[in-house]
Amino acid sequence: ASRDNLAIATTALIKMFTLHPESQKLVPALAGVPVDQLMSNQVFLVLAHTCSAVADFIVSNLDNEKVLTHILVQQTKPEQFVDYMHPIHQLDETATLVMAAIDEVVSPDAATKQALANVMKYVNDIMATKLVPNNEVQSVAEPVVSAKEKALIRDSWNQMRFNSEVAPKIY
């Protein structure tokens, strides 16, 4: 992943661990590491790279709901969530912090922000079916993310990966 994708992941993780210190304890090797020392911690850097790779996987599979659903459901585990907040609220909080990190690192335009927000809702809805099986949240037949939004996300994602900045979109 590029510098921007990794910067987004590290920024989002730092935000999460700062606002929700209990979430840092979910990674036992990071439990006692002060937040201001995380950027030099090898386990933290591996976690950030993993998060970046997951984001790449999601973007690469936006058109394949079956694969995306299978992997996300398989990889979503209750033990990955803190016990003081409902998992659905944690998914929402994570999406909010990731969006804040994206905005801080690359400042995407309004259309890209909306497309990213829709993707995060789509992904969260998939994971919610595993966390709360009888929840009203279900995967939908109609895509939540339009083809235009998918193209916008992929274009911006590729620019972030290869050019380290997002050029303004003109439509």
Side-chain angles (χ1 to χ4, degrees), residues 9-39 41 43-48 51 80 82 84 90 93-94 97:
T10 56
T11 300
L13 286 167
I14 295 288
K15 287 178 180 298
M16 177 62 80
F17 293 163
T18 300
L19 292 172
H20 302 281
E22 291 298 311
S23 65
Q24 186 174 336
K25 294 176 185 172
L26 295 173
V27 182
L30 297 178
V33 180
V35 173
D36 64 352
Q37 294 176 17
L38 288 172
M39 292 299 291
N41 182 287
V43 173
F44 177 79
L45 296 175
V46 168
L47 178 62
C51 291
Q80 296 168 327
V82 295
Y84 66 87
Q90 289 179 66
E93 177 72 353
T94 300
L97 295 175

Side-chain angles (χ1 to χ4, degrees), residues 43-115:
V43 173
F44 177 79
L45 296 175
V46 168
L47 178 62
H49 279 278
T50 301
C51 291
S52 183
V54 168
D56 283 336
F57 172 82
I58 290 168
V59 171
S60 298
N61 286 283
L62 284 173
D63 289 323
N64 195 340
E65 182 180 8
K66 191 172 185 174
V67 167
L68 196 56
T69 299
H70 175 75
I71 297 298
L72 288 173
V73 167
Q74 182 182 29
Q75 295 302 316
T76 301
K77 298 173 176 65
E79 60 269 17
Q80 296 168 327
F81 295 85
V82 295
D83 59 6
Y84 66 87
M85 183 188 294
H86 192 282
I88 302 299
H89 298 299
Q90 289 179 66
L91 292 172
D92 291 341
E93 177 72 353
T94 300
T96 298
L97 295 175
V98 169
M99 286 300 296
I102 290 170
D103 201 37
E104 187 177 313
V105 174
V106 294
S107 303
D109 61 39
T112 303
K113 278 186 194 180
Q114 184 58 54

